[in-house]
Amino acid sequence: MQIQPASSLRGTVLLPGDKSISHRYAVLAAMAEGSTTIRNFSNSQDCQSTLDCLQQIGVDIHRREREVEIQSQGWTEFQQPTRTLDAGNSGTTIRFLSALLCGSSFASTIQGDSSLNRRPMQRIIIPLTRMGASISAHKDEYPPLHISGASLQGIHYRLPLASAQVKSCLLLAGLMARGQTVVEETTPTRNHTELALPFFNASPKHENGGIAIEGPVSLKPVQMEIPGDFSAAAFFILAALLLPDSEIHLAGVGVNPSRTALLALLEQAGVRLEQTNTRLSNGEPVCDLTVRHSRQLLDRFPAQIQGEWIPNLIDEIPVLAVLGTRLKRGLAIRQAEELRKKESDRIHSTVLNLRNIGIRVEEFPDGFAIPPGQQIGGGRVQSLGDHRIAMAFSVAGLIGLGPVEIDDPACVSVSFPGFFEVLQSLVVKS
Ligand code: S3P
């Protein structure tokens, strides 16, 4: 896929439903007894992996375009799968499904593709084992996970790292456990699970220093609607801000503050996107966004991002790096070692590809630094099977001096099938 420099972006962006929220509503619907309808469900491969795994444990799934109907007899009636569950490329799928398998009365195995099978699982194995399940893993860390379900017991767990996947995995297990499960976070992460639970008849409380669930809980089915995916929107937002004369419209974007640190950073640079039709959808803040080219962005965007900012823009860091190539003061990302544990080692894959397109960058164990005063020349990008790398460096192609060739462009389907078509529909050629 070759991306040519563009002069501007103009038009309307149709976003996929939010991937994080789609996983959560699907799993909660499967745990509930009855029929749940979910509108604007993500068309990503990752969310399809979650639906496929749920089907394998006896849940009925009917998909119609952007809507999914999930029919279940409730989490006490999950069936032993007849084969190994396949979470594909999706960390969220394996971590959420593991909770469900731990709280069921059968033995099962779950694994992923070659990328997922290299990602760390101790972070869920330790607390789920404390709750009473037994899990064995390759080298005690990696999938496949062999799980013997058990009658779980609530625990009080302080997360040793900032991870919404781990937090949510434990809240899901807490729904099936006897007694109270408390999950304490030291750094706040996305709170979609906490917001969704009351709609399914569970009431998490802020108690005992964390988020508390009193189990076991019988979940109720409900009608839910999913906002547009902010992490998918980020590529278009930054491209439109950078390209002169751009104006794009994104309808129904999820703007939950636990996801939109990027907007807060833009505001620090004096760039406020036009937000209209602001509303709540199943507790999730949503609005329509209009994005126009901004001149001041390059002068005033923060030059160093670290600490508490990182979890709330974790998936936007590759495209922030592309923005960083243009910033007047450069850009350093630090304390972001978790990036090395994503679909690819995203510190390595970002640094490698910045160099591939002619950018000087220094790599650190916990991030990277891009010196100011550079221009993207163009070149060949290695996606390394990572959807966010492929999409971030497509933005590099739009804003650079020469074309950028993206290898394995099909990997974008992991979160955003049709990404390149949407992008091309907006491009005004230079
Ligand atoms: C996600 C949480 C984040 C994020 C991932 C989706 C979620 O992962 O990077 O894309 O849906 O909870 P971690 O919780 O592992 O940081």
Side-chain angles (χ1 to χ4, degrees):
M1 174 72 59
Q2 198 173 62
I3 309 290
Q4 300 285 346
S7 70
S8 37
L9 287 195
R10 298 188 80 84
T12 299
V13 183
L14 183 62
L15 292 170
D18 187 275
K19 180 160 85 74
S20 281
I21 300 176
S22 296
H23 285 296
R24 284 157 172 80
Y25 290 1
V27 166
L28 290 170
M31 294 179 79
E33 188 183 340
S35 170
T36 294
T37 308
I38 309 173
R39 281 168 44 201
N40 201 32
F41 193 82
S42 164
N43 58 350
S44 64
Q45 262 171 19
D46 269 11
C47 293
Q48 187 58 47
S49 296
T50 287
L51 296 181
D52 291 345
C53 289
L54 292 172
Q55 220 158 16
Q56 296 289 315
I57 57 171
V59 178
D60 277 337
I61 313 259
H62 305 279
R63 263 198 109 138
R64 302 175 282 268
E65 304 265 315
R66 292 186 153 231
E67 190 172 294
V68 179
E69 190 192 335
I70 298 184
Q71 248 174 327
S72 174
Q73 295 177 32
W75 58 265
T76 53
E77 303 301 317
F78 288 150
Q79 307 287 309
Q80 181 169 32
T82 51
R83 50 188 150 93
T84 296
L85 296 180
D86 181 5
N89 192 244
S90 172
T92 312
T93 304
I94 198 167
R95 292 180 178 127
F96 287 12
L97 261 292
S98 294
L100 272 47
L101 299 173
C102 283
S104 298
S105 55
F106 46 75
S108 55
T109 302
I110 185 163
Q111 64 176 2
D113 65 10
S114 57
S115 149
L116 185 55
N117 287 348
R118 287 194 297 268
R119 293 178 64 185
M121 297 297 148
Q122 274 280 330
R123 52 187 64 197
I124 60 164
I125 294 174
I126 291 171
L128 288 172
T129 304
R130 268 186 54 198
M131 292 178 85
S134 107
I135 307 176
S136 70
H138 176 58
K139 297 187 176 163
D140 291 334
E141 178 67 285
Y142 304 106
L145 304 180
H146 303 285
I147 298 178
S148 294
S151 166
L152 301 180
Q153 182 66 48
I155 55 166
H156 187 128
Y157 193 70
R158 189 179 159 88
L159 293 173
L161 75 171
S163 167
Q165 288 180 3
V166 179
K167 170 177 65 175
S168 300
C169 162
L170 299 182
L171 292 176
L172 295 172
L175 294 168
M176 300 184 281
R178 271 174 292 117
Q180 193 178 56
T181 297
V182 181
V183 187
E184 238 186 277
E185 318 192 79
T186 43
T187 311
T189 61
R190 64 190 71 188
N191 64 354
H192 305 305
T193 307
E194 298 90 301
L195 291 179
L197 282 167
F199 291 90
F200 289 89
N201 191 43
S203 340
K205 296 203 174 69
H206 286 275
E207 212 171 88
N208 294 328
I211 307 147
I213 291 273
E214 205 67 52
V217 184
S218 301
L219 297 181
K220 296 228 167 77
V222 65
Q223 303 248 343
M224 302 294 276
E225 172 144 10
I226 294 177
D229 194 318
F230 182 79
S231 297
F235 304 107
F236 302 102
I237 293 173
L238 288 183
L241 286 169
L242 286 167
L243 291 168
D245 291 327
S246 293
E247 178 171 322
I248 60 167
H249 304 278
L250 306 101
V253 190
V255 283
N256 179 323
S258 68
R259 287 284 292 284
T260 55
L262 173 63
L263 296 184
L265 289 170
L266 289 170
E267 280 185 24
Q268 285 192 11
V271 179
R272 227 196 151 90
L273 308 188
E274 188 181 311
Q275 302 195 6
T276 52
N277 197 12
T278 304
R279 57 206 185 267
L280 282 182
S281 166
N282 298 122
E284 289 284 345
V286 177
C287 74
D288 300 341
L289 283 177
T290 299
V291 188
R292 299 186 184 87
H293 170 61
S294 158
R295 280 200 200 90
Q296 62 197 31
L297 167 65
L298 300 185
D299 298 328
R300 294 173 53 192
F301 197 84
Q304 175 134 347
I305 302 171
Q306 60 185 26
E308 295 229 338
W309 287 97
I310 299 296
N312 292 351
L313 46 70
I314 189 82
D315 294 334
E316 285 69 75
I317 290 176
V319 72
L320 264 180
V322 172
L323 168 71
T325 64
R326 297 287 293 274
L327 296 175
K328 291 280 166 4
R329 296 183 291 163
L331 181 67
I333 303 280
R334 301 302 301 262
Q335 300 175 328
E337 46 282 280
E338 265 300 303
L339 280 178
R340 294 204 184 269
K341 313 275 168 58
K342 297 293 177 188
E343 288 84 328
S344 68
D345 169 347
R346 281 194 183 146
I347 294 178
H348 167 74
S349 43
T350 301
V351 166
L352 169 80
N353 284 307
L354 286 172
R355 290 180 180 148
N356 281 343
I357 58 171
I359 296 294
R360 274 178 297 112
V361 52
E362 190 177 353
E363 179 172 352
F364 305 106
D366 66 344
F368 50 84
I370 304 167
Q374 304 194 64
Q375 275 282 13
I376 294 168
R380 211 186 152 85
V381 162
Q382 294 158 265
S383 303
L384 303 173
D386 187 333
H387 56 126
R388 297 210 194 274
I389 295 295
M391 294 188 281
F393 283 87
S394 303
V395 175
L398 297 176
I399 66 165
L401 298 175
V404 166
E405 177 83 28
I406 312 278
D407 78 357
D408 186 18
C411 71
V412 301
S413 299
V414 160
S415 65
F416 195 164
F419 168 80
F420 290 106
E421 289 77 2
V422 176
L423 191 66
Q424 289 308 334
S425 75
L426 302 171
V427 164
V428 179
K429 296 217 167 65
S430 30

